[in-house]
Amino acid sequence: GLITDTARDVRLACEWGSSTGKPTIVVPGGGGIRLEEIEAVSPTTRLPEALADVPIVVNPRGQRPGSLRQDVFFQSIPLVLRRIPLALFVCLQLAGDREAERWVDTLGIRENTRLWELLSREQVLALFKRARVYVSPSIHDGTPNSLLEAMACGCIPVAGDVESIREWVTSGENGLLVDANSARELADGIVTALEDRTLQEKGRNENARIIAERANHGQCMAMTEAFYTKVIKLNS
């Protein structure tokens, strides 16, 4: 049997010679999103520092060479700040990262940028609940758990226009997909996600529905158990 976190990988497996009769299943990594856990996160959860009441953009994905264009993300920040000067960019898993520190200083964006370490799960969810926009400058990806968690918390996703992300985000409907190699496109996407109230309202409602229907932990685990039961029977 084949279990993946994207329909793309099932398609590729078949194209590359996997038996078409083999059982397959597509479920989010980690077994899905525990909505009750998100609901229980306190708005007073302590973060590394207090955040002002400003538009918050979160990029939680750290350095992933070959998968993410974090250099382009940092280059997009000054372009966003020209239009939304109070925007605050919080980047996880980048505290002390030499490249990130150099980008922040070279671009003169330190006042509006926070480079934090990897937070606890509760802190990450609390940050997502505070933020308006989730950014993932993907040029190659699977289904990031952080994307689904951010969607469940009410963030509008702005991500690279890659096949796996299109399985969850329809650009202009529940988020925005852009060319992650273009700082201008990424900046335009972030600004739109911060300013377009119609997109924000429609996107939050649609994302809540998508996560409840396709990424709920209980449902995903039940599907996974049924899948393994089927595989065992076929091979016994």
Side-chain angles (χ1 to χ4, degrees):
L2 175 64
I3 183 168
T4 76
D5 71 342
T6 68
R8 174 204 61 188
D9 290 350
V10 173
R11 175 182 61 77
L12 289 175
C14 293
E15 290 178 2
W16 295 346
S18 178
S19 169
T20 56
K22 183 180 296 182
T24 64
I25 185 176
V26 177
V27 291
I33 304 302
R34 292 174 170 85
L35 297 175
E36 67 282 0
E37 181 181 17
I38 292 175
E39 183 67 27
V41 171
S42 170
T44 61
T45 298
R46 182 183 293 275
L47 296 173
E49 65 177 271
L51 298 177
D53 185 18
V54 297
I56 295 174
V57 177
V58 60
N59 178 340
R61 307 208 60 202
Q63 291 285 19
R64 296 170 184 260
S67 297
L68 301 177
R69 290 297 307 270
Q70 294 291 30
D71 56 331
V72 175
F73 165 72
F74 283 104
Q75 291 164 21
S76 75
I77 292 178
L79 303 179
V80 174
L81 293 176
R82 291 176 191 172
R83 298 154 72 180
I84 308 178
L86 294 179
L88 179 67
F89 294 81
V90 180
C91 312
L92 304 186
Q93 306 184 68
L94 290 178
D97 182 89
R98 290 184 179 181
E99 287 190 36
E101 295 283 357
R102 184 171 65 251
W103 290 326
V104 167
D105 288 334
T106 300
L107 294 166
I109 55 175
R110 187 164 294 278
E111 182 177 349
N112 294 80
T113 307
R114 302 292 183 270
L115 303 179
W116 288 356
E117 298 177 351
L118 178 64
L119 305 182
S120 71
R121 181 170 178 79
E122 181 182 5
Q123 288 175 313
V124 171
L125 296 177
L127 177 60
F128 285 162
K129 285 182 142 184
R130 286 286 311 278
R132 296 189 192 177
V133 174
Y134 163 98
V135 176
S136 178
S138 317
I139 55 173
H140 172 75
D141 222 331
T143 298
N145 284 331
S146 62
L147 167 68
L148 305 184
E149 291 168 347
M151 290 167 63
C153 289
C155 288
I156 299 301
V158 177
D161 189 4
V162 297
E163 184 177 352
S164 60
I165 306 301
R166 289 197 295 270
E167 295 177 21
W168 295 94
V169 178
T170 300
S171 193
E173 297 291 324
N174 64 319
L176 293 163
L177 300 179
V178 301
D179 179 0
N181 294 302
S182 169
R184 172 63 63 183
E185 280 201 30
L186 188 56
D188 287 346
I190 293 170
V191 169
T192 298
L194 287 173
E195 293 186 334
D196 189 332
R197 295 194 177 186
T198 300
L199 173 63
Q200 292 166 8
E201 182 176 358
K202 183 178 181 180
R204 290 191 189 102
N205 291 335
E206 181 66 4
N207 287 335
R209 181 191 67 79
I210 289 171
I211 298 302
E213 292 182 359
R214 296 175 50 201
N216 179 277
H217 179 265
Q219 178 181 343
C220 288
M221 292 307 293
M223 291 170 56
T224 304
E225 182 177 4
F227 168 78
Y228 279 112
T229 299
K230 182 177 182 179
V231 170
I232 291 170
K233 288 181 178 179
L234 287 173
N235 289 277
S236 61

